[in-house]
Amino acid sequence: MILYHGSTVLVKKPEIRISDNFLDFGIGFYTTSSEYQAERWTKIKMRRENQPIGYISVYEFDLDSAEKETVIRRYQTADLKWLQFVTCNRRGEQPSEYADMHIGPVADDNVYRSIRLFETGVLNAEETVKRLKTEVLHDQWTFHTDKILTFLKFIGSKEIKQEG
């Protein structure tokens, strides 16, 4: 399986880094099966960091072996369980269930707005999930442990230049 990581740096050797940001799937190394999504992430990071060049790092992931030797949790859709998991991570709380990896939908700007309305009590869980089902969501594959990173092999990269 091919996975992509978008960044302002080329990442030949992925690692788990602790961040000040509370991300959707918690602490980990974030990838996607969508090259389009990885390019989008790269361009966002380039704008935020005012960098003229970014990179899509490309990996081969041995999913079959990883599934036999690690704990992988999947969210097939942005449902109530996914919403609770994302909200927990965005608050900086520890998830209740251990996993070496989480796979599931990535939240785009429209999804973030719905989640924010849920977090502030404007929307209840049912209404939030209903709104999420109307969105087209790409996936994210988040590696949480060094053990699962051993199944990920760097195979190449693509340079992205600032537009305009």
Side-chain angles (χ1 to χ4, degrees):
M1 147 141 271
I2 301 297
L3 294 176
Y4 305 92
H5 173 78
S7 182
T8 55
V9 296
L10 180 62
V11 182
K12 290 184 178 181
K13 185 170 179 359
E15 54 187 43
I16 309 301
R17 291 189 177 172
I18 307 242
S19 169
D20 290 340
N21 299 331
F22 297 125
L23 304 174
D24 290 349
F25 281 18
I27 294 169
F29 182 71
Y30 282 70
T31 63
T32 179
S33 66
S34 167
E35 185 174 0
Y36 168 81
Q37 180 66 25
E39 184 168 336
R40 193 169 165 269
W41 283 341
T42 302
K43 289 177 179 177
I44 289 169
K45 289 178 182 180
M46 288 168 60
R47 276 193 304 277
R48 285 182 187 158
E49 299 172 17
N50 197 26
Q51 296 293 321
I53 297 174
Y55 301 90
I56 297 174
S57 300
V58 185
Y59 308 92
E60 176 71 37
F61 179 54
D62 186 353
L63 179 59
D64 291 336
S65 295
E67 286 179 320
K68 293 174 188 167
E69 298 181 39
T70 64
V71 177
I72 299 175
R73 300 212 185 277
R74 292 177 187 257
Y75 296 97
Q76 300 298 333
T77 184
D79 57 12
L80 181 58
K81 198 169 184 182
W82 176 88
L83 176 62
Q84 291 169 333
F85 177 70
V86 168
T87 303
C88 174
N89 284 311
R90 288 171 49 110
R91 289 182 184 146
E93 300 167 3
Q94 287 288 346
S96 60
E97 296 179 324
Y98 171 84
D100 293 289
M101 169 182 262
H102 283 91
I103 303 168
V106 61
D108 67 9
D109 292 342
N110 290 334
V111 172
Y112 279 128
R113 279 192 282 280
S114 295
I115 291 172
R116 191 70 192 126
L117 291 171
F118 172 71
E119 289 175 326
T120 58
V122 174
L123 294 177
N124 64 28
E126 184 179 321
E127 180 61 30
T128 305
V129 169
K130 184 177 170 185
R131 286 183 180 208
L132 296 176
K133 289 183 190 252
T134 66
E135 297 295 328
V136 175
L137 303 174
H138 293 282
D139 64 9
Q140 57 190 352
W141 297 57
T142 307
F143 296 75
H144 300 295
T145 64
D146 290 334
K147 180 178 181 179
I148 197 151
L149 282 176
T150 64
F151 300 95
L152 193 66
K153 177 184 164 197
F154 177 80
I155 58 171
S157 65
K158 177 180 174 184
E159 187 176 277
I160 306 295
K161 294 191 177 182
Q162 194 173 44
E163 297 171 352

